[in-house]
Amino acid sequence: MSHPAISRHLMTEKAVQLAPKLGLLLALSITVIGLSLYIPNPKLGLAVLTVGSTLLAACIIIYHLIRRDRRARLRLFDTIASFVEFDASPSLISDPEGNISYGNRAAVARFDGATQITLISVLGDLFASPAATLFRLQNKAQVKGIASEDVVVRRGHMRLSVHHMGDQRFLWRLEDILERPQNGRSPEEISLPMMTASKTGTVLFMNEAMRRLVGRRVSRLDQVFNDLPLRSGQIHEITSMEKLVLMQVSIVMGSAGRQEIFLLPSAETPAILPAPGQPFETLPVPLIKVAPDGEIKFCNKLARDLLGVKNVAGETLGILVEGLGRSVTDWLAQAADNPGEMHSEFVRASRHSKDVFLQITLTAVIESGETSLVMVLNDATKLKTLEAQFVQSQKMQAIGQLAGGVAHDFNNLLTAISGHCDLLLLRHDKEDPEYGDLIQINQNANRAASLVGQLLAFSRKQTLKSEIVDIRETLDDLTHLLNRLVGEKVSLLLSHDPVLPSIRADKRQLEQVIMNLVVNARDAMPDGGEIKIETRQENLLEPREIERAVIPAGDYVVVTVKDHGVGIRPDRLPKIFEPFFTTKRTGEGTGLGLSMAYGIVKQTGGYIFAESEQGKGTSFTLYFPVTTDVAPAEVKQQPVPAKSMTHKSGGVVLLVEDEAPVRAFAARALKMRGYTVLEAENAEEALHTLEDPSLNIDVFVTDVIMPGMDGPSWVAKALKDRPGVRVVFVSGYAEDSFSEQQARIPNSVFLPKPFSLGELTATVQGQIH
């Protein structure tokens, strides 16, 4: 297919196109000249002769123009042909219909000397869907003059470029881009069967080993596999030369959803596994072959990288990985005893300095009568990290539910203890010998209530009084107390951002968090040191992952409390926010301080993190979301006259409480203040009492959580017939836990347990008056 032959072809093609038109004009001119000879009128004959001569002259001129244009075209194609004739990349010239009119030497050699064929028939064996690609490139070249695109072919990638030559001719150039690994091997040279497929299942490439196995080229995955969809590490049926072969599939995901699919041996196909020294090392899949006792026979580079080792000579698998739940020896023996079955295990790479978890999928193969185990490794670190995050979240949630439940029951007990203590104190003067004992009972009950409050803080079921808080003002007000807490040997340094927005939080609880962190920092520096409290504003443009939590994008006020103390051991650091976990000695702490801080920060909508290094100190970082709310103007509360708390009142109270001691104390307290009290053990009994239409009730005092119908439910039902009755809800849980239900109850207030005699009577009196 040399360029002179192509030039002759182009010349003949143009001549064939113009010959009928030029011949018709020549015949017309000769006919007109002949007719002029037979016209008797000399003047008319002369005019006809002139017309015929003019047409003949036009024919001659057109003929010479065609020859000149033909020579110019031949020179153009000779120039292009001479330019690309010895190009190493195949070059082709085609018309708009894709008919090839020229090919250089590389094209002749590449396509076995085929001439006068179409582009689609030439390129159809190189890559998938050539018609659409050629049509797209040709249209772009017509508009822009040139176009190119990289397509996937058997040997890697090919850059297909096209130039618009004018006169509706296109010059195509095919440039191979071989993808070779570092050692020079291409996918075509890998002895394992391998193919590349698109995310839609179109086969883009098959290496020689795959073509030999399948026996033909295929265009879709369903022509090879009988049990789609493919799952990496699983055994699949392959149609091989009209026979079914079981092979293990390993999939490596590429860009744009492409998959590199490798076929690995199962028990029925042991011969396909490459022996040592073959291209096993270059496979883009981490593979290991071990003996049943764990001795490593060979291990490719990707597998060594995952295991964190450079050389596996003389090593056993049990030295390189640690089993999670059972030993490596056990599951290797189980896999060796069940050839043909797939086994999957999660392990930890023991040679890595950080935690690296691996998923190993293995199967037994038989070679020369000996059993070996072939393993495919996958990095499962992210999966195990997510699993650890989920387990930690579930554990903290479960502990929170337990803490909340325990706190609720303790609040009932403390209400009865402190309430009856209040009743006894009313009957004893300060001079009474038993008065001091009662005060001790009351004070210890209050201390117990404080501990229960910390449990509720951790479980995020405490009552928070949210308000607009300026962190700088809060810390400035707290500085004097903090300096007294840290003592003389420890110095306290505050560093504020000049401009800090406000947050929404419970100021009293926030102060408790800061004090707890500062006290912990003080205790971590027995020989003295410096505690630094820093505040700053931080704007997260995108979510930030810290430890096992993700902070959403947004504006935050960040508070950091840092010390230079003894630090926390790495194995203890993940547990410090759990209730009753403490690094202090017995008697130095309850283990509830950090759990309380964790709960308060979380309930406020913030995040708390701890970093520590033994011997260098610990840093706690708190993120609070910025609020755009404006603080309301302060309204001075008028003091309640003391006599209003003690004078005899009147009214009817329906008291509903399932805990008998609490009900007994509350009933006696209200009766002592002059109220008529009707008692009910549960909601059903209360509704039964209200069936009497002549009964006039002023206030419902009811527990929220009770067996059967809860407080808000029975109150909502009772208010249908008695809409004017006011309500006092009491509970050992926080108000937030049922705030939505309470919001639907008009004229209702909340009284948290444990409450004192004065708090109960004052609340009821406030509802009546």
Side-chain angles (χ1 to χ4, degrees):
M1 194 188 290
S2 64
H3 60 84
I6 296 304
S7 299
R8 288 196 298 273
H9 165 73
L10 294 173
M11 213 164 61
T12 304
E13 181 183 24
K14 284 294 181 183
V16 170
Q17 293 176 356
L18 297 177
K21 300 176 183 179
L22 186 60
L24 180 62
L25 185 61
L26 180 61
L28 180 61
S29 63
I30 294 175
T31 301
V32 171
I33 291 174
L35 287 175
S36 67
L37 300 176
Y38 293 98
I39 295 176
N41 189 333
K43 291 184 178 181
L44 181 59
L46 181 60
V48 174
L49 179 62
T50 301
V51 172
S53 300
T54 302
L55 290 175
L56 181 60
C59 288
I60 295 172
I61 292 172
I62 291 172
Y63 175 73
H64 282 288
L65 289 175
I66 290 174
R67 289 197 62 185
R68 188 177 66 177
D69 181 67
R70 183 184 302 161
R71 286 196 297 270
R73 291 177 181 278
L74 287 176
R75 285 196 298 271
L76 173 63
F77 279 98
D78 285 347
T79 301
I80 295 174
S82 62
F83 182 75
V84 301
E85 179 68 15
F86 297 100
D87 189 355
S89 299
S91 297
L92 302 167
I93 297 177
S94 70
D95 61 14
E97 286 73 36
N99 298 310
I100 298 175
S101 55
Y102 170 77
N104 65 355
R105 295 177 184 270
V108 173
R110 179 74 170 268
F111 305 118
D112 299 328
T115 59
Q116 304 306 317
I117 55 179
T118 65
L119 283 171
I120 293 178
S121 61
V122 169
L123 303 179
D125 291 336
L126 292 182
F127 59 91
S129 305
T133 303
L134 295 174
F135 180 75
R136 181 171 59 254
L137 288 174
Q138 187 169 291
N139 285 344
K140 184 186 272 188
Q142 281 183 315
V143 175
K144 297 185 177 181
I146 186 172
S148 66
E149 184 174 323
D150 291 349
V151 296
V152 179
V153 296
R154 288 191 308 165
R155 298 179 181 274
H157 286 77
M158 180 181 72
R159 181 160 297 158
L160 184 61
S161 57
V162 55
H163 296 257
H164 187 202
M165 297 171 56
D167 192 33
Q168 298 302 308
R169 296 284 167 176
F170 299 90
L171 174 63
W172 300 84
R173 187 170 185 272
L174 287 67
E175 181 183 0
D176 290 325
I177 307 174
L178 296 181
E179 294 182 341
R180 294 180 179 271
Q182 294 180 354
N183 65 353
R185 295 187 182 276
S186 69
E188 193 66 65
E189 297 174 292
I190 296 176
S191 60
L192 283 184
M194 175 264 184
M195 65 169 60
T196 303
S198 69
K199 62 181 179 181
T200 60
T202 301
V203 175
L204 305 175
F205 166 73
M206 298 173 64
N207 71 350
E208 184 63 29
M210 178 66 79
R211 292 195 297 274
R212 286 200 308 269
L213 176 65
V214 177
R216 67 191 189 283
R217 282 194 58 85
V218 296
S219 59
R220 297 193 57 80
L221 288 178
D222 55 13
Q223 295 174 309
V224 179
F225 300 96
N226 298 328
D227 48 358
L228 294 176
L230 298 180
R231 294 179 176 85
S232 185
Q234 300 297 316
I235 298 292
H236 286 272
E237 289 185 356
I238 293 125
T239 304
S240 171
M241 301 295 289
E242 306 302 329
K243 296 180 181 179
L244 290 180
V245 177
L246 296 178
M247 301 285 285
Q248 181 180 336
V249 171
S250 181
I251 300 175
V252 178
M253 298 303 299
S255 59
R258 290 175 179 168
Q259 307 175 71
E260 292 184 356
I261 302 169
F262 295 84
L263 299 186
L264 308 176
S266 69
E268 282 78 8
T269 56
I272 298 180
L273 186 69
Q278 289 188 331
F280 185 88
E281 177 73 10
T282 65
L283 288 179
V285 182
L287 292 175
I288 303 178
K289 181 180 177 183
V290 302
D293 60 359
E295 180 187 357
I296 298 178
K297 295 184 176 180
F298 52 82
C299 172
N300 69 356
K301 183 180 184 304
L302 289 180
R304 294 196 299 273
D305 292 342
L306 280 179
L307 293 171
V309 295
K310 295 183 178 180
N311 187 5
V312 295
E315 299 280 8
T316 61
L317 190 64
I319 300 298
L320 301 179
V321 299
E322 300 172 1
L324 304 180
R326 60 172 176 163
S327 67
V328 174
T329 306
D330 289 345
W331 52 266
L332 287 181
Q334 181 183 356
D337 293 339
N338 298 276
E341 293 184 9
M342 298 299 301
H343 300 267
S344 183
E345 291 288 338
F346 285 96
V347 299
R348 179 185 178 275
S350 55
R351 294 292 179 87
H352 271 284
S353 57
K354 59 181 182 179
D355 281 343
V356 175
F357 295 94
L358 306 172
Q359 182 184 18
I360 297 182
T361 304
L362 67 157
T363 186
V365 297
I366 300 175
E367 298 177 306
S368 303
E370 294 185 359
T371 301
S372 299
L373 298 169
V374 178
M375 303 180 177
V376 179
L377 278 63
N378 289 296
D379 190 345
T381 304
K382 289 185 178 180
L383 175 64
K384 297 301 289 185
T385 301
L386 289 174
E387 181 182 327
Q389 291 176 0
F390 177 75
V391 169
Q392 179 70 7
S393 173
Q394 291 293 97
K395 181 177 72 172
M396 296 295 276
Q397 182 179 356
I399 295 175
Q401 290 176 346
L402 174 63
V406 170
H408 173 264
D409 291 339
F410 263 92
N411 275 334
N412 281 323
L413 295 174
L414 291 172
T415 302
I417 294 171
S418 62
H420 284 90
C421 184
D422 288 343
L423 293 174
L424 289 172
L425 284 171
L426 292 176
R427 302 205 306 264
H428 290 75
D429 296 328
K430 291 185 179 180
E431 291 76 15
D432 195 316
E434 296 178 355
Y435 185 83
D437 296 334
L438 294 174
I439 290 296
Q440 284 294 323
I441 294 173
N442 187 270
Q443 289 178 350
N444 282 281
N446 290 334
R447 287 183 59 194
S450 176
L451 289 176
V452 172
Q454 294 182 46
L455 282 175
L456 281 174
F458 172 75
S459 63
R460 304 177 220 175
K461 292 180 179 179
Q462 64 175 343
T463 300
L464 293 183
K465 297 179 181 178
S466 295
E467 56 183 304
I468 306 302
V469 176
D470 187 319
I471 286 285
R472 289 179 304 172
E473 291 182 1
T474 302
L475 290 176
D476 288 342
D477 295 341
L478 200 60
T479 303
H480 179 67
L481 177 58
L482 293 178
N483 280 321
R484 290 179 57 189
L485 285 174
V486 298
E488 298 179 354
K489 292 193 297 183
V490 176
S491 61
L492 186 67
L493 175 64
L494 272 70
S495 175
H496 292 304
D497 193 315
V499 180
L500 275 181
S502 299
I503 64 172
R504 177 171 285 278
D506 185 319
K507 185 177 180 180
R508 182 178 60 84
Q509 298 283 10
L510 181 59
E511 291 174 347
Q512 186 68 34
V513 170
I514 300 298
M515 283 192 295
N516 184 272
L517 295 178
V518 169
V519 169
N520 283 346
R522 178 203 65 189
D523 294 342
M525 299 185 295
D527 298 327
E530 181 184 82
I531 301 174
K532 188 174 184 180
I533 303 178
E534 297 178 333
T535 62
R536 69 179 187 275
Q537 181 182 1
E538 193 162 335
N539 180 22
L540 301 184
L541 299 178
E542 56 185 22
R544 175 180 296 176
E545 184 174 352
I546 302 179
E547 296 178 0
R548 295 175 178 175
V550 177
I551 305 177
D555 295 328
Y556 294 87
V557 171
V558 183
V559 181
T560 303
V561 180
K562 184 183 299 183
D563 66 63
H564 300 284
V566 295
I568 304 172
R569 283 177 14 202
D571 60 322
R572 292 186 173 186
L573 192 61
K575 303 177 181 179
I576 60 174
F577 294 117
E578 297 178 8
F580 305 110
F581 180 85
T582 179
T583 58
K584 300 178 182 179
R585 291 177 296 182
T586 304
E588 293 184 353
T590 62
L592 287 173
L594 286 179
S595 64
M596 177 203 66
Y598 175 87
I600 292 173
V601 172
K602 285 293 184 181
Q603 195 170 354
T604 306
Y607 299 85
I608 181 169
F609 305 99
E611 297 180 56
S612 185
E613 187 174 349
Q614 282 191 278
K616 294 187 177 180
T618 304
S619 174
F620 285 89
T621 305
L622 291 71
Y623 286 78
F624 295 101
V626 170
T627 181
T628 57
D629 298 341
V630 179
E634 291 187 6
V635 179
K636 291 186 177 180
Q637 298 290 334
Q638 296 296 328
V640 180
K643 62 179 182 179
S644 66
M645 302 293 292
T646 58
H647 81 285
K648 297 289 183 177
S649 305
V652 180
V653 178
L654 177 58
L655 175 62
V656 186
E657 171 62 61
D658 62 307
E659 289 288 336
V662 177
R663 188 171 68 251
F665 150 67
R668 286 184 58 188
L670 293 172
K671 289 176 182 178
M672 289 177 61
R673 293 292 185 244
Y675 296 103
T676 300
V677 180
L678 303 176
E679 299 181 37
E681 186 178 357
N682 51 50
E684 290 75 15
E685 185 177 339
L687 292 174
H688 179 69
T689 302
L690 295 175
E691 291 177 359
D692 183 358
S694 63
L695 191 60
N696 182 32
I697 304 293
D698 296 303
V699 180
F700 295 149
V701 178
T702 177
D703 195 4
V704 175
I705 307 298
M706 297 182 293
M709 192 180 302
D710 60 29
S713 298
W714 83 259
V715 168
K717 190 173 181 179
L719 289 180
K720 292 179 181 179
D721 297 327
R722 301 170 183 268
V725 179
R726 294 179 173 271
V727 184
V728 176
F729 287 110
V730 296
S731 177
Y733 287 121
E735 183 179 6
D736 293 345
S737 61
F738 70 104
S739 57
E740 293 184 5
Q741 295 171 292
Q742 183 188 348
R744 296 194 293 267
I745 307 298
N747 302 318
S748 63
V749 295
F750 178 76
L751 179 62
K753 295 179 181 178
F755 49 79
S756 66
L757 184 150
E759 290 171 338
L760 173 62
T761 55
T763 303
V764 172
Q765 183 177 334
Q767 283 293 80
I768 291 180
H769 300 284

